[in-house]
Amino acid sequence: EVQLVESGGGLVQPGGSLRLSCAASGFTFSNYDMHWVRQATGKGLEWVSTIGTTGDTYYPGSVKGRFTISRENAKNSLYLQMNNLRAGDTAVYYCARATPSNAVDLWGQGTMVTVSS
Amino acid sequence: QSALTQPPSASGSPGQSVTISCIGTSSDVGGYNYVSWYQQHPGKVPKVMIYEVSKRPSGVPARFSGSKSGNTASLTVSGLQAEDEADYYCSSYAGSNNFVLFGGGTKLTVL
């Protein structure tokens, strides 16, 4: 079955760190760019980061310098290292497979990250 | 970066057509034919309905269509059905600096 399964979410204090993981299966993971997209409760979708097939990375200004996306093709896995977390980072984080035009054609079920003291 | 601009709500009666707009700039919507649209039902994962402005993935009904004029993209849902009631998000590639932008979302109500 073609799927993405995230893990690693949880409750963390402001200023803390968390590492999210995403396990891909059912497709050739190394052939795809991958995104992380987040959604705060009751809010819209927000792009968090992208990693290309060659390891090139992209971030919006809101997380640049705090978040690091990486991939391990041998393990069909995507990661998001999140440091210096803020209350505004509280959201469901989705792992997502990108099409050549950067649309998302496959989403994970999401993992909840809560930043609170 | 600024999000793409969508109306917060739209509505129509069953069988009618409704169009949702997505306003960007020449650096995103207007600069690339890489606009996509997503449908999200409450508590569910988003689903791509349109990609590359007007292409429909396999399995998406032909009632859903996309277009673009200048810096504005549009999603049209024809022959509205009750199951079309959902949140809809547009997205665009925005170059190597901003990469991906999303709209704020439009809640579509089928009256």
Side-chain angles (χ1 to χ4, degrees):
Chain A
E1 182 185 2
V2 177
Q3 64 177 357
L4 299 168
V5 179
E6 302 95 335
S7 60
L11 175 64
V12 61
Q13 292 188 339
S17 298
L18 211 55
R19 188 194 196 208
L20 305 183
S21 299
C22 171
S25 59
F27 65 97
T28 305
F29 177 72
S30 59
N31 286 352
Y32 290 86
D33 294 354
M34 297 294 296
H35 300 310
W36 285 100
V37 177
R38 68 186 179 186
Q39 186 172 34
T41 302
K43 303 296 184 182
L45 301 171
E46 182 185 10
W47 169 64
V48 173
S49 62
T50 298
I51 187 165
T53 56
T54 57
D56 45 322
T57 59
Y58 306 88
Y59 307 91
S62 58
V63 308
K64 198 168 189 176
R66 300 189 299 123
F67 290 12
T68 303
I69 189 173
S70 61
R71 66 191 302 162
E72 193 167 355
N73 290 337
K75 293 187 176 181
N76 292 326
S77 292
L78 179 72
Y79 306 101
L80 185 67
Q81 177 67 43
M82 303 185 295
N83 297 330
N84 191 19
L85 283 160
R86 307 164 179 167
D89 296 318
T90 295
V92 173
Y93 283 72
Y94 293 105
C95 169
R97 188 177 74 177
T99 69
S101 61
N102 280 307
V104 174
D105 65 349
L106 180 66
W107 299 76
Q109 85 288 352
T111 187
M112 184 70 203
V113 172
T114 303
V115 184
S116 174
S117 54
Chain B
Q1 74 282 16
S2 300
L4 306 175
T5 300
Q6 296 180 235
S9 63
S11 63
S13 299
Q16 288 186 334
S17 293
V18 65
T19 297
I20 299 170
S21 62
C22 172
I23 303 172
T25 70
S26 58
S27 297
D28 38 72
V29 173
Y32 309 92
N33 288 323
Y34 287 167
V35 175
S36 50
W37 289 90
Y38 302 90
Q39 177 191 65
Q40 187 179 33
H41 288 107
K44 301 296 186 182
V45 171
K47 173 186 175 183
V48 63
M49 306 301 283
I50 297 288
Y51 67 101
E52 292 178 19
V53 177
S54 59
K55 297 179 180 179
R56 273 181 296 106
S58 173
V60 172
R63 306 184 290 104
F64 291 86
S65 63
S67 63
K68 189 184 85 166
S69 178
N71 296 337
T72 301
S74 299
L75 173 72
T76 298
V77 186
S78 305
L80 271 174
Q81 298 183 6
E83 60 262 35
D84 299 333
E85 185 162 295
D87 293 326
Y88 290 84
Y89 296 92
C90 64
S91 178
S92 175
Y93 175 67
S96 58
N97 286 330
N98 289 323
F99 219 71
V100 179
L101 289 178
F102 283 99
T106 298
K107 182 175 181 60
L108 175 61
T109 301
V110 180
L111 302 170

